[in-house]
Amino acid sequence: MIDSEFAGTARHLASRLMSLARFSSTGAPAWDGDDVDPVRFEQQGRPALVRGPLDDGLLTGRAGIAVALAACYRLPGGSSAWSMLACQTMHSILDNRSALQPGRLGWQSGALGIARAAKLVGDLAGDATLLSAGRDYAATAVQALRNNIALCPSYADLLDGEAGHLAAVLGADLPATVEPARQVVARQLVAQLAERAIRDARGARWAMAGFAPSVVGLAHGGSGIALALSAAQASGIDSGGLIGDALRWEDGHYEASRGGGPDWRVHGRPAGFAWCHGAPGVGIAAAYRSTTIADPFAEISYARARLAAAAHRPGGSAFDGTMCHGLTGVVELHLAGAEAWPSAATQHLRSARTVARYLTRAGSSGRPGWTCGVSGGRTPNVLVGLAGVALTLVRCHDPAIVPSLAHPGLPAVAAYSVKRN
């Protein structure tokens, strides 16, 4: 396999991730990171950081770092030490997992995301025991939801809310015996999303995190919820027109003169340029829908997102490189287009690599550098850290090495269909 600058930077990041690992007395790998302290934020009214060990999550913690290390191992010049550390990390997570708790089953930081990581690392590193353990863990999570749907938080968001649980349940690698439970849980979550929807003449929307104003976007808005509902539709579960209603509400807020959909969290409602609350997330969701259901609007929505993202170029002395709210999310938008529309894959991949060169060439010859984390903090995780950048650069080198972690994955039925075709 021919080397590339994307592979080179990803290898550098993998070495950095490995150097940041620390080990417990039992040999379990762990990483530390900065995050916003919710207590101090509430007390002071402004972000305050706290440093501590990362959780086990796919986007937020150790499992995602393991995926990044295993993916980098598959690059030209990849180190077997990265693969070994990835497997060691996943085994330590799965061997010492505690009883499932409310809010700890989703794809962002819960059991279903960890199970997905086990499958990815198992495939990338050739560890069959991880594949089996991940399948068992996913089965345990789905059966737990079957027995008590209240284990899912009572809000709609894609990030560990009902939509996130729905997409993760439908995408999970499960034993055949658990398929009936998958369908029961998915139907119940679709029903809860329908009941929670706020409908009016403009369409359907949901309160962000269950209490805040409705927003446009992937993480907490209609695009993410429509993405999960499209996975349900691909699996034979109808949502009664809710997908179209959600997209109609979001489309009604598109403003070409302002550069796209507004970020409702920010005063003045500027156009959003983030994976979580902006054009990249809206476009990634559209690309996903085009691979799962017959959505005639998906290509239009994606084209709008691509146009909006084109206005987002790094400047100053440093720029945000993260997947969640930085340049890596924009790169994933173009990579999603390459996967969704194979006839134009070369064009979309070229666009992804053009944008990614801001990451690979950062800090050289007067170019701005890039940062990660939140509020000036640093973290190695996928969502806002080094592992997310490394994974996307692996995909820029060769998208076939590892699927995107920018969405919860294809539903199992659709994925099987894609493999057969």
Side-chain angles (χ1 to χ4, degrees):
M1 186 185 297
I2 299 174
D3 204 353
S4 71
E5 64 183 280
F6 311 106
T9 303
R11 289 194 300 269
H12 173 76
L13 293 175
S15 295
R16 178 65 176 154
L17 288 170
M18 191 163 185
S19 73
L20 291 172
R22 56 181 177 79
F23 297 87
S24 71
S25 58
T26 61
W31 286 263
D32 294 324
D34 296 321
D35 204 352
V36 173
D37 184 340
V39 175
R40 293 167 64 193
F41 180 80
E42 185 174 349
Q43 292 172 344
Q44 301 173 12
R46 63 181 184 276
L49 295 176
V50 60
R51 189 163 188 84
L54 298 186
D55 63 20
D56 290 340
L58 177 64
L59 298 189
T60 54
R62 294 197 295 158
I65 294 173
V67 175
L69 288 167
C72 289
Y73 158 67
R74 299 297 293 270
L75 292 169
S79 170
S80 60
W82 303 338
S83 173
M84 292 171 61
L85 181 57
C87 292
Q88 187 180 358
T89 301
M90 288 310 307
H91 281 295
S92 74
I93 293 171
L94 293 169
D95 292 346
N96 297 286
R97 57 187 183 270
S98 57
L100 294 174
Q101 301 293 324
R104 304 301 298 173
L105 282 82
W107 78 286
Q108 177 186 223
S109 55
L112 289 165
I114 292 169
R116 185 182 181 202
K119 175 172 172 48
L120 290 172
V121 174
D123 283 336
L124 289 163
D127 187 331
T129 59
L130 276 180
L131 297 176
S132 177
R135 191 176 300 113
D136 289 345
Y137 197 30
T140 299
V142 171
Q143 289 168 330
L145 286 166
R146 169 68 177 85
N147 294 333
N148 182 12
I149 199 66
L151 289 171
C152 175
S154 56
Y155 57 87
D157 304 20
L158 185 71
L159 289 188
D160 280 353
E162 289 158 341
H165 280 65
L166 173 60
V169 165
L170 290 168
D173 180 27
L174 296 174
T177 55
V178 187
E179 284 298 334
R182 187 205 303 267
Q183 287 293 309
V184 169
V185 173
R187 290 182 186 280
Q188 195 161 356
L189 289 171
V190 169
Q192 290 184 192
L193 286 168
E195 183 177 349
R196 205 175 298 285
I198 304 166
R199 297 176 184 264
D200 55 34
R202 300 186 70 171
R205 57 188 174 88
W206 290 261
M208 183 179 78
F211 66 90
S214 305
V215 297
V216 170
L218 181 71
H220 308 288
S223 284
I225 295 163
L227 180 152
L229 291 170
S230 71
Q233 183 170 311
S235 300
I237 304 171
D238 183 52
S239 60
L242 199 53
I243 297 172
D245 289 344
L247 297 175
R248 184 158 55 87
W249 188 86
E250 281 208 341
D251 184 50
H253 293 90
Y254 176 81
E255 301 177 52
S257 61
R258 295 169 68 97
D263 187 340
W264 289 93
R265 304 166 303 161
V266 181
H267 178 70
R269 299 190 300 113
F273 292 112
W275 169 89
C276 57
H277 285 273
V282 172
I284 288 167
Y288 177 101
R289 293 197 311 275
S290 76
T291 65
T292 54
I293 62 173
D295 179 2
F297 184 71
E299 198 160 0
I300 296 172
S301 181
Y302 179 84
R304 285 178 173 176
R306 182 182 165 97
L307 184 63
H312 186 51
R313 286 291 182 268
S317 59
F319 62 90
D320 188 327
T322 66
M323 184 183 82
C324 182
H325 39 64
L327 200 68
T328 295
V330 178
V331 178
E332 282 292 347
L333 166 69
H334 296 298
L335 291 171
E339 292 169 340
W341 294 284
S343 62
T346 300
Q347 174 190 346
H348 289 302
L349 184 56
R350 185 182 301 118
S351 296
R353 288 170 171 167
T354 297
V355 177
R357 287 189 177 97
Y358 284 98
L359 295 163
T360 60
R361 301 177 185 182
S364 63
S365 304
R367 297 174 182 269
W370 57 268
T371 62
C372 67
V374 292
S375 301
R378 296 184 178 183
T379 182
N381 72 15
V382 167
L383 190 64
V384 292
L386 299 177
V389 181
L391 273 167
T392 295
L393 291 177
V394 169
R395 285 169 44 73
C396 279
H397 174 77
D398 182 358
I401 290 177
V402 65
S404 176
L405 296 189
H407 59 72
L410 287 169
V413 172
Y416 179 63
S417 175
V418 169
K419 288 179 182 177
R420 289 186 64 189
N421 293 334

